[in-house]
Amino acid sequence: MVNIGTLFASVLVCAGVRVLRKTRVDLRPGFRVPGSPFVPIVAIVLGVAHTRGA
């Protein structure tokens, strides 16, 4: 249960980064995401795949 919760939290963070980068372009980013936008998308896909047991 803890592993699934951690993966789900990671997926939410990655999705939140993607959403905020698109919707709040007026904010100065506090950090850079390497390989953006591909790394967050891949992390979301892998997190969901691991959560589903694929």
Side-chain angles (χ1 to χ4, degrees):
M1 284 302 262
V2 174
N3 290 340
I4 292 173
T6 304
L7 283 171
F8 185 68
S10 175
V11 167
L12 287 179
V13 168
C14 290
V17 167
R18 292 288 304 144
V19 169
L20 285 175
R21 299 282 179 171
K22 293 290 183 185
T23 60
R24 298 294 307 263
V25 294
D26 57 326
L27 294 176
R28 184 178 70 85
F31 60 93
R32 294 186 60 198
V33 178
S36 183
F38 302 109
V39 170
I41 292 170
V42 169
I44 291 169
V45 170
L46 289 176
V48 170
H50 284 303
T51 301
R52 290 192 155 291

